[in-house]
Structures are given as structure tokens and as C-alpha cells.
Amino acid sequence: MDKKELINSGKVKSVYNSTDDDKVIIEFRDDMTAGDGARKEVMTNKGAYNAIISAKIFKVLEENGIETQFIDLLEPNVMLAKKLEMIPIEVIVRNIATGSLVRKYPIDEGTRLEPPIVQMDFKDDEYHDPMLNDSLIKALGIATQEEIDILTEKALEINESLVKFFADAGIILVDFKVEFGKDAEGNILLGDEISPDGCRLWDSETLDMLDKELFRKGKDNEVMDAYVEVYNRIIPDSEKVI
Ligand code: 5GP
């Protein structure tokens, strides 16, 4: 499988067409960004850690019956994936209140959210990813009600699987963001990545942060140690490639 032309260069990943028309090659770069890309640093091996962590999580989800775009890891930071037409919605699931939720609403930091909150944001840096609702999504022509319901159901299934998966590694899945896309037949599949870039992960004992929030808070020298900690806890030694 060979790389063809670049089709999308995001803040941290580059997507290429491949010699097989229905597959893409996703390169996870070492860039780390915050504030809609306003701040950017390069972190050694960050791309590989995120690609390997994402690949592991996608495999776990597939084992639990959730279809993803993941096919294979070609190199530590390069993923072969099914080609999807991405839906410009960031589906966020929250198990514990923190981040923008406590900044925008009268809810205490650390409140356990039962049932979890499912939130959908418009993926658009120019508009700063504003929160959507069903009628906005339909008015903008982004998705139908049936598709919104599928996204909600899939996001909650992913949450259920990953809460257990991370708990076994001594990690609390506080909240996370996922993105979906449609394959050539119109099926909705989980796409993009699930990594410490788009999840809040807290150590179950100490409640220490193990994710990109450290970078958002300016703790640049601690963030890669946290990513490596997540990698070490969830990737068995036999599957470690860096
Ligand atoms: P919040 O809305 O509290 O800032 O974020 C909620 C969750 O979604 C966090 O786990 C955060 O990492 C993730 N998230 C929200 N927006 C984005 C985004 O634009 N990019 C990434 N990588 N994650 C996001």
C-alpha cells in the first residue's frame, strides 16, 4: 500500500490517498496544539504514541462490536484506514463535570454525570467549535435526525466500553471527543483518533491528569510523560513498538 497525494492536513494529522481507492493513510505528526491551533509545539514521538494508543483503542472497540475506520498500523505513527467522508461534528461524552462544562454552566467541578452527557460541537476552528443541537445540525444540513440518533447511540456504546477498558488500567475516563464518517455505502463508522489529545484521563488513585489538559495549562514539560504513562498502562509489552 503506497501513499498518494495529501488530501487533508489537520492540526496534528495528515491524511493521504492510497493506491487503494477506498483506503487512506493517516500520518500522526509530532505537533501538539491548543486554543484552536493558536499555540503549537513539537513533542518527540507524540505522533507515534497517539497512533499506537488509538490503534489499540480502535481494536478494543471493534472487539466490542463498534465498527471503526482502523485497518492497520503501517509504522508506529502511520495508520491505514478505511476512507470516510467525515461528518463535521465533535461528539463529546462527559462522565465527570470539568472543562468547558463547568466554565459555561452552574455545575461543580468533579460532579459525576449519570447518565453521561452527550454533546455535539460544530467542528470548525473559524467559528471556535460552537455547540450544536438537533435543529441546528439539521438546519446546517450536517446530519439527519436518524444520523444524530446513531451518533448518540454509538458515542454512548464507545463510552461504556472505554470506561471499563481504562478502569482496568487504573485510569478514569472523565470525558472525550470522537468523530464519525460515512463509508462508500453510507454506513457511519468511528473515525479520526481516540488518544490523550481528545480525552481527559485521570489516574484513578491520585486523580493526576494524564492527557493534553497539561499542555493546555502550560505544563509542556509534563505532557509527554503523561502520554507515555497511558501508553505503558494500556499497551501490553508484546505490542509495544516504541
Ligand atoms: P471541553 O469542552 O471540556 O473543552 O472538552 C471536552 C472533551 O472533548 C475533552 O476531553 C477534550 O479533550 C475534548 N475536545 C473538545 N474539543 C476538542 C478539540 O477540538 N480537539 C480535541 N483533540 N479534543 C477536543
Side-chain angles (χ1 to χ4, degrees), residues 32-240:
M32 185 169 284
T33 69
D36 295 336
R39 199 157 75 82
K40 179 177 147 183
E41 299 292 340
V42 174
M43 302 278 174
T44 306
N45 281 336
K46 184 247 184 187
Y49 283 112
N50 270 4
I52 298 165
I53 290 169
S54 281
K56 176 71 184 175
I57 290 175
F58 282 172
K59 281 187 245 177
V60 167
L61 292 174
E62 292 272 358
E63 285 163 15
N64 289 321
I66 296 152
E67 213 183 342
T68 78
Q69 82 174 139
F70 174 75
I71 300 172
D72 197 11
L73 258 193
L74 302 176
E75 292 172 41
N77 71 324
V78 179
M79 193 181 272
L80 178 66
K82 291 173 198 158
K83 189 172 193 166
L84 300 181
E85 190 194 322
M86 294 305 292
I87 300 167
I89 296 180
E90 299 187 338
V91 185
I92 293 167
V93 183
R94 300 177 187 274
N95 295 303
I96 295 178
T98 188
S100 69
L101 186 71
V102 299
R103 284 199 302 275
K104 293 182 184 170
Y105 301 93
I107 186 162
D108 290 336
E109 169 85 26
T111 305
R112 188 161 282 283
L113 302 165
E114 277 166 354
I117 292 176
V118 179
Q119 172 189 333
M120 298 195 187
D121 288 357
F122 184 33
K123 185 180 165 72
D124 192 315
D125 283 344
E126 196 188 325
Y127 289 89
H128 305 292
D129 300 346
M131 198 194 293
L132 296 166
N133 63 24
D134 289 8
S135 37
L136 270 164
I137 292 172
K138 287 179 276 186
L140 290 165
I142 299 172
T144 64
Q145 187 62 53
E146 191 191 350
E147 289 167 343
I148 296 168
D149 294 344
I150 293 172
L151 298 181
T152 305
E153 192 185 322
K154 283 185 186 280
L156 286 170
E157 280 171 22
I158 292 166
N159 186 50
E160 218 180 299
S161 292
L162 294 188
V163 163
K164 289 196 196 91
F165 173 71
F166 279 114
D168 289 344
I171 294 171
I172 300 170
L173 178 60
V174 174
D175 58 25
F176 63 95
K177 179 265 302 180
V178 279
E179 295 177 32
F180 296 87
K182 286 186 206 166
D183 68 10
E185 284 79 46
N187 302 308
I188 295 182
L189 271 60
L190 174 65
D192 193 54
E193 66 179 297
I194 299 186
S195 73
D197 266 17
C199 300
R200 287 200 179 92
L201 304 169
W202 294 352
D203 181 281
S204 307
E205 302 261 302
T206 62
L207 303 185
D208 285 346
M209 292 177 197
L210 298 172
D211 60 73
K212 197 173 94 170
E213 195 68 14
L214 290 163
F215 181 74
R216 296 189 189 105
K217 289 183 182 301
K219 297 184 177 175
D220 297 20
N221 55 347
E222 294 175 34
V223 71
M224 278 319 296
D225 287 347
Y227 282 42
V228 174
E229 181 66 25
V230 173
Y231 172 84
N232 281 330
R233 290 199 202 180
I234 69 170
I235 308 293
D237 285 344
S238 60
E239 293 174 29
K240 287 198 167 94

Side-chain angles (χ1 to χ4, degrees), residues 18-36:
S18 79
T19 42
D20 189 338
D21 279 350
D22 59 4
K23 298 185 178 67
V24 289
I25 289 174
I26 305 174
E27 182 195 349
F28 288 62
R29 306 194 311 270
D30 285 345
D31 300 325
M32 185 169 284
T33 69
D36 295 336

